[in-house]
Coordinates of all heavy atoms in Angstrom, one line a residue:
T220 N 34.5 8.2 -11.8 CA 35.9 7.9 -11.5 C 36.0 7.1 -10.2 O 35.2 7.4 -9.3 CB 36.8 9.2 -11.4 OG1 36.4 9.9 -10.2 CG2 36.8 10.0 -12.6
S221 N 36.9 6.2 -10.1 CA 37.2 5.6 -8.8 C 38.6 5.9 -8.6 O 39.5 5.8 -9.5 CB 36.9 4.1 -8.8 OG 38.0 3.4 -9.4
I222 N 38.9 6.4 -7.4 CA 40.3 6.7 -7.0 C 40.5 5.8 -5.7 O 39.9 6.1 -4.7 CB 40.6 8.2 -6.8 CG1 40.5 8.8 -8.2 CG2 41.9 8.4 -6.1 CD1 40.7 10.3 -8.3
D223 N 41.2 4.8 -5.9 CA 41.4 3.8 -4.8 C 40.0 3.3 -4.4 O 39.3 2.7 -5.2 CB 42.2 4.3 -3.6 CG 43.6 4.7 -4.1 OD1 44.1 4.0 -5.0 OD2 44.3 5.6 -3.5
H224 N 39.6 3.5 -3.2 CA 38.3 3.0 -2.7 C 37.1 3.9 -2.9 O 36.0 3.6 -2.5 CB 38.4 2.6 -1.2 CG 38.9 3.7 -0.4 ND1 40.0 4.4 -0.6 CD2 38.3 4.3 0.7 CE1 40.2 5.4 0.3 NE2 39.1 5.4 1.0
V225 N 37.4 5.1 -3.5 CA 36.3 6.1 -3.5 C 35.8 6.4 -5.0 O 36.6 6.6 -5.9 CB 36.8 7.5 -3.0 CG1 35.8 8.6 -3.1 CG2 37.3 7.3 -1.5
T226 N 34.5 6.2 -5.2 CA 33.9 6.5 -6.5 C 33.2 7.8 -6.5 O 32.5 8.1 -5.6 CB 32.9 5.3 -6.8 OG1 33.6 4.1 -6.7 CG2 32.4 5.4 -8.2
T227 N 33.4 8.6 -7.6 CA 32.8 9.9 -7.7 C 32.2 10.1 -9.0 O 32.8 9.7 -10.1 CB 33.9 11.0 -7.4 OG1 34.7 10.7 -6.3 CG2 33.3 12.4 -7.3
K228 N 31.0 10.8 -9.1 CA 30.4 11.1 -10.4 C 30.8 12.6 -10.7 O 30.7 13.5 -9.9 CB 28.9 11.1 -10.2 CG 28.1 11.2 -11.5 CD 26.7 11.5 -11.3 CE 25.8 10.3 -11.3 NZ 24.4 10.6 -11.3
H229 N 31.3 12.7 -11.9 CA 31.7 14.1 -12.4 C 30.9 14.5 -13.6 O 30.7 13.7 -14.5 CB 33.2 14.1 -12.9 CG 34.2 13.7 -11.8 ND1 34.9 14.6 -11.1 CD2 34.6 12.5 -11.4 CE1 35.7 14.0 -10.3 NE2 35.5 12.7 -10.4
H230 N 30.3 15.7 -13.5 CA 29.5 16.2 -14.6 C 30.4 17.1 -15.5 O 31.4 17.7 -15.1 CB 28.4 17.1 -14.1 CG 27.4 16.2 -13.4 ND1 26.3 15.6 -14.0 CD2 27.3 15.8 -12.1 CE1 25.6 14.9 -13.2 NE2 26.2 15.0 -12.0
N231 N 30.0 17.2 -16.8 CA 30.7 18.1 -17.7 C 32.2 17.8 -17.8 O 33.0 18.8 -17.7 CB 30.4 19.6 -17.4 CG 29.0 19.9 -17.5 OD1 28.3 19.4 -18.5 ND2 28.4 20.6 -16.6
V232 N 32.6 16.6 -18.0 CA 34.0 16.3 -18.0 C 34.5 16.5 -19.4 O 34.0 16.0 -20.4 CB 34.3 14.8 -17.6 CG1 35.7 14.4 -17.9 CG2 33.9 14.6 -16.2
E233 N 35.6 17.3 -19.5 CA 36.3 17.5 -20.8 C 37.3 16.4 -21.0 O 37.4 15.8 -22.1 CB 36.9 18.9 -20.8 CG 37.8 19.3 -22.0 CD 36.9 19.4 -23.2 OE1 35.8 19.8 -23.1 OE2 37.5 19.0 -24.3
S234 N 38.2 16.2 -20.0 CA 39.2 15.2 -20.2 C 39.8 14.9 -18.8 O 39.5 15.7 -17.8 CB 40.4 15.8 -21.0 OG 40.9 16.9 -20.5
I235 N 40.5 13.8 -18.7 CA 41.2 13.5 -17.4 C 42.6 13.2 -17.7 O 42.9 12.4 -18.7 CB 40.5 12.3 -16.7 CG1 39.0 12.5 -16.5 CG2 41.2 12.1 -15.3 CD1 38.3 11.5 -15.7
E236 N 43.5 13.8 -16.9 CA 44.9 13.6 -17.2 C 45.6 12.8 -16.0 O 45.3 13.0 -14.9 CB 45.5 15.1 -17.1 CG 46.8 15.2 -17.8 CD 47.2 16.7 -17.8 OE1 46.3 17.6 -18.1 OE2 48.3 17.0 -17.4
Y237 N 46.5 11.9 -16.4 CA 47.1 11.0 -15.4 C 48.6 11.1 -15.6 O 49.1 11.0 -16.8 CB 46.7 9.6 -15.6 CG 45.2 9.4 -15.6 CD1 44.4 9.5 -16.8 CD2 44.5 9.0 -14.4 CE1 43.0 9.3 -16.7 CE2 43.1 8.8 -14.4 CZ 42.4 8.9 -15.6 OH 41.0 8.7 -15.5
R238 N 49.4 11.2 -14.6 CA 50.8 11.1 -14.7 C 51.4 10.7 -13.3 O 50.7 10.7 -12.3 CB 51.4 12.5 -15.1 CG 51.2 13.6 -14.1 CD 51.9 14.9 -14.5 NE 51.2 15.6 -15.6 CZ 51.7 16.1 -16.7 NH1 53.0 15.9 -16.9 NH2 51.0 16.7 -17.6
V239 N 52.7 10.3 -13.4 CA 53.3 9.9 -12.1 C 53.4 11.2 -11.3 O 53.8 12.2 -11.8 CB 54.8 9.4 -12.4 CG1 55.5 9.0 -11.1 CG2 54.7 8.1 -13.3
A240 N 53.0 11.1 -10.0 CA 53.0 12.3 -9.1 C 54.4 12.6 -8.7 O 55.3 11.8 -8.7 CB 52.1 12.0 -7.9
K241 N 54.5 13.9 -8.4 CA 55.9 14.4 -7.9 C 56.1 13.8 -6.5 O 57.2 13.5 -6.2 CB 55.9 15.9 -7.9 CG 56.0 16.6 -9.3 CD 56.5 18.0 -9.2 CE 56.8 18.5 -10.6 NZ 55.6 18.6 -11.4
Q242 N 55.0 13.8 -5.7 CA 55.2 13.2 -4.4 C 55.2 11.7 -4.4 O 54.6 11.1 -5.3 CB 54.0 13.6 -3.5 CG 53.6 15.0 -3.5 CD 52.4 15.2 -4.5 OE1 52.6 14.9 -5.7 NE2 51.3 15.7 -4.1
R243 N 55.8 11.1 -3.4 CA 55.7 9.7 -3.2 C 55.1 9.3 -1.9 O 55.3 10.2 -0.9 CB 57.1 9.0 -3.4 CG 57.4 9.0 -4.9 CD 58.7 8.2 -5.1 NE 59.9 9.0 -4.7 CZ 61.1 8.5 -4.6 NH1 61.3 7.3 -5.0 NH2 62.1 9.3 -4.3
V244 N 54.5 8.2 -1.7 CA 54.0 7.8 -0.4 C 55.2 7.2 0.3 O 56.1 6.6 -0.3 CB 52.9 6.7 -0.5 CG1 53.3 5.5 -1.3 CG2 52.3 6.4 0.8
R245 N 55.2 7.4 1.7 CA 56.3 6.9 2.5 C 55.8 5.8 3.4 O 54.8 6.0 4.1 CB 57.0 8.0 3.3 CG 57.5 9.1 2.4 CD 57.7 10.4 3.1 NE 58.8 10.4 4.0 CZ 58.8 10.6 5.3 NH1 57.6 10.7 5.9 NH2 59.8 10.5 6.0
F246 N 56.4 4.6 3.4 CA 56.1 3.6 4.3 C 57.2 3.3 5.3 O 58.4 3.4 4.9 CB 55.8 2.2 3.5 CG 54.6 2.3 2.7 CD1 54.6 2.4 1.3 CD2 53.3 2.2 3.3 CE1 53.4 2.4 0.6 CE2 52.1 2.2 2.6 CZ 52.2 2.3 1.2
A247 N 56.8 3.1 6.5 CA 57.8 2.9 7.5 C 58.1 1.3 7.5 O 57.1 0.6 7.6 CB 57.3 3.3 8.9
R248 N 59.3 1.0 7.3 CA 59.7 -0.5 7.2 C 60.6 -0.8 8.4 O 61.6 -0.3 8.6 CB 60.5 -0.7 5.9 CG 59.6 -1.0 4.7 CD 59.2 -2.5 4.6 NE 58.2 -2.6 3.6 CZ 56.9 -2.6 3.8 NH1 56.4 -2.5 5.0 NH2 56.0 -2.7 2.8
F249 N 60.1 -1.8 9.2 CA 60.8 -2.2 10.4 C 61.6 -3.5 10.2 O 62.3 -3.9 11.1 CB 59.8 -2.4 11.6 CG 59.1 -1.1 11.9 CD1 57.9 -0.8 11.2 CD2 59.6 -0.2 12.8 CE1 57.3 0.4 11.4 CE2 59.0 1.0 13.0 CZ 57.8 1.3 12.4

Side-chain angles (χ1 to χ4, degrees):
T220 63
S221 77
I222 292 178
D223 297 332
H224 56 302
V225 178
T226 303
T227 312
K228 188 195 265 192
H229 299 262
H230 291 271
N231 297 319
V232 172
E233 174 65 34
S234 61
I235 309 187
E236 201 175 315
Y237 305 87
R238 62 177 78 228
V239 178
K241 287 199 170 62
Q242 316 93 301
R243 283 186 287 172
V244 59
R245 300 160 75 245
F246 288 106
R248 275 274 170 266
F249 300 89

